[in-house]
Amino acid sequence: MRIVLVILFCFCMFHVAQAQQYDLLIKNGRVIDPKNKVDGKMDVAVADGKISKVAKDIPAAQSKKVIDATGLLVTPGLIDIHTHVFTGSKPDIFADGIYSVSADDFSFKSGVTTVVDAGTSGWRNFPVFKSNVIDKSQTRILSFLNIAGSGMTGNPDQEDITDMNAQMTALTIKKYPDIIVGVKIGHYEGKDWTPFDRALEACNLASVPLLVECHLPQYSLEDQLNKMRPGDIITHSYEKITERLSVIDDNGTVRPYVLEAKKKGVLFDVGHGGYGFWFSEAVPALKQGLGPDTFGSDLHRFSMNSGMKSLLNIMSKYLNLNMSVNDIIQRATWNAAKSIKREDLGSLSEGAVADIAVISLLNGNFGFTDAGGNKINGTQKFEAELTVRAGKIVWDLNGMAAAPFKK
Ligand SMILES: [Zn+2]
């Protein structure tokens, strides 16, 4: 009799375990997964940190935790391809806590699960960045490696051409292929094209894209775009500080060589930052077919306190410039993953890591500013309700996943 009871007990436990095969089930949301061409009311089930199933009407009884996302968007975790998150490295205004911010402090509250650092480190100090920051963060941190050996350490180091070593840069990329996604050229103040050419050489040696973040007028926009290869990324695409980096001419028309570069396959990233986004450039560019491929925020301590604010705020600007929700989510997920050649990310494919954003679309009266203090009014705004990183809830704005308090 006792043996029968034990067998029965085991059978029941097995049945319960079988019944609750998922750890997390997000039900009834509008699932937008551009890679898989999904846009509709679906349920998303997660098990062991991975996307287990995306389907209509997955039974709630099959999951240990169930979240009702009625009226909300459910998307892959957002990817920000332009950030500065190498905190605490040196007492310098570029590569330390004064400029960089801590990724976890800003990512999840904006639905972001992956950030890419834009060359705050170079091959010399990447190992410190990895051990001190990347390995200790919950946010997935990837990196473009600066062609300057010590990254953004200010003058004179970042001006030292003798320390721009294509071979060492490529070797470091090959040593950390899971983390380093490309090379960055930027912030060089001289007129010599050697830094740009060395960065391209490193890209060719390591088969990775180049991120171009040149602020200064030493290189003309036309020359930069001509040197770039298909799949290379220009950031601060809608900047209006100098003639050199404006994609729009004095008549409000996109310059022909810019459209040629786009046709060639050069990718245009927003790179909002403190100075990199102006409505005077972005609005006509969008109307003339030069919308952004990705919404890189250029997150740092100054941009997050000015017009940029967050990746979702940039996405909200484009929402109020009449880009469709689906097109916006595509640029913040699958397009971003493809641009850094990380096609394992940016989707809700079954078996993919369970990085998920649950986003509300607020209606009301909102204002959005650019780098010049110009404002547009809008009636809609994205807000991150819930963020899941590798199956774990890491942000829950309104306690959707929490148990009700009983008095
Ligand atoms: Zn930047």
Side-chain angles (χ1 to χ4, degrees):
M1 186 61 192
R2 184 174 287 179
I3 288 172
V4 172
L5 279 175
V6 168
I7 290 170
L8 200 63
F9 176 77
C10 288
F11 177 78
C12 288
M13 289 313 288
F14 177 75
H15 193 71
V16 167
Q18 274 288 93
Q20 294 196 325
Q21 57 191 295
Y22 305 125
D23 300 318
L24 176 66
L25 177 62
I26 302 173
K27 283 188 72 65
N28 304 318
R30 174 183 168 190
V31 174
I32 303 180
D33 179 12
K35 179 192 176 184
N36 294 305
K37 301 195 168 27
V38 172
D39 184 353
K41 193 174 168 188
M42 306 279 264
D43 299 344
V44 178
V46 172
D48 300 326
K50 296 199 165 82
I51 304 290
S52 199
K53 191 174 181 183
V54 179
K56 286 189 197 312
D57 301 322
I58 301 173
Q62 292 182 0
S63 181
K64 293 179 191 111
K65 186 172 265 304
V66 179
I67 287 171
D68 181 11
T70 301
L72 302 172
L73 309 177
V74 179
T75 78
L78 307 183
I79 301 173
D80 188 344
I81 73 158
H82 186 163
T83 64
H84 294 279
V85 294
F86 184 9
T87 49
S89 64
K90 300 184 164 196
D92 179 272
I93 64 154
F94 279 113
D96 72 354
I98 296 173
Y99 189 76
S100 283
V101 295
S102 163
D104 291 352
D105 292 1
F106 298 93
S107 54
F108 302 140
K109 63 193 287 188
S110 195
V112 173
T113 50
T114 299
V115 301
V116 189
D117 181 87
T120 319
S121 76
W123 67 269
R124 283 189 190 281
N125 53 357
F126 177 78
V128 177
F129 181 28
K130 181 181 180 298
S131 60
N132 288 5
V133 178
I134 295 174
D135 293 349
K136 293 184 171 61
S137 298
Q138 280 189 282
T139 309
R140 178 186 295 98
I141 300 177
L142 306 177
S143 179
F144 286 99
L145 211 56
N146 204 311
I147 190 61
S150 299
M152 292 165 62
T153 44
N155 295 335
D157 286 1
Q158 73 180 21
E159 294 293 305
D160 182 3
I161 292 182
T162 61
D163 202 31
M164 297 181 188
N165 187 320
Q167 280 75 24
M168 287 310 295
T169 303
L171 271 177
T172 308
I173 295 169
K174 287 179 181 170
K175 192 171 171 192
Y176 302 100
D178 296 343
I179 305 175
I180 306 177
V181 299
V183 178
K184 183 188 110 157
I185 173 71
H187 297 275
Y188 174 71
E189 295 181 10
K191 283 197 166 56
D192 195 326
W193 279 91
T194 305
F196 203 103
D197 293 337
R198 294 254 174 92
L200 268 176
E201 187 189 341
C203 287
N204 286 327
L205 288 169
S207 303
V208 292
L210 176 69
L211 176 73
V212 176
E213 188 185 11
C214 298
H215 285 280
L216 300 165
Q218 82 279 31
Y219 302 153
S220 79
L221 178 62
E222 185 169 12
D223 288 343
Q224 288 181 46
L225 292 171
N226 282 342
K227 277 182 175 277
M228 291 170 73
R229 310 157 306 164
D232 288 340
I233 305 161
I234 189 157
T235 188
H236 306 306
S237 294
Y238 311 107
E239 184 166 13
K240 189 203 174 72
I241 292 180
T242 63
E243 178 77 1
R244 167 217 59 107
L245 249 189
S246 180
V247 292
I248 301 291
D249 69 16
D250 293 342
N251 301 317
T253 307
V254 178
R255 299 177 197 277
Y257 59 77
V258 176
L259 291 174
E260 276 303 309
K262 186 178 173 66
K263 219 160 94 184
K264 177 172 81 173
V266 168
L267 300 174
F268 290 79
D269 179 55
V270 168
H272 193 305
Y275 308 105
F277 182 85
W278 295 67
F279 289 126
S280 60
E281 316 301 293
V283 173
L286 183 63
K287 283 186 183 150
Q288 293 169 48
L290 193 79
D293 292 292
T294 47
F295 296 116
S297 66
D298 196 6
L299 171 71
H300 51 69
R301 184 165 294 185
F302 308 109
S303 65
M304 44 130 315
N305 282 318
S306 61
M308 190 283 284
K309 296 181 176 67
S310 70
L311 188 76
L312 276 183
N313 193 54
I314 299 169
M315 292 161 65
S316 297
K317 291 178 183 181
Y318 276 91
L319 184 65
N320 288 288
L321 295 175
N322 296 322
M323 189 181 275
S324 76
V325 170
N326 195 302
D327 283 351
I328 291 169
I329 299 302
Q330 176 163 345
R331 281 157 176 73
T333 59
W334 182 230
N335 276 15
K338 280 192 298 183
S339 75
I340 54 168
K341 314 273 186 256
R342 286 296 301 264
E343 298 185 6
D344 55 321
L345 304 175
S347 82
L348 299 175
S349 298
E350 289 173 13
V353 63
D355 290 355
I356 305 168
V358 179
I359 300 168
S360 58
L361 200 45
L362 306 177
N363 293 302
N365 294 315
F366 308 108
F368 301 95
T369 55
D370 70 5
N374 306 292
K375 176 182 170 183
I376 61 166
N377 292 317
T379 55
Q380 287 189 301
K381 189 177 192 173
F382 293 114
E383 187 166 71
E385 281 290 343
L386 187 91
T387 306
V388 177
R389 169 78 181 96
K392 194 173 140 208
I393 293 166
V394 287
W395 171 257
D396 186 358
L397 183 63
N398 287 297
M400 291 175 79
F405 171 63
K406 292 192 183 83
K407 285 182 190 169

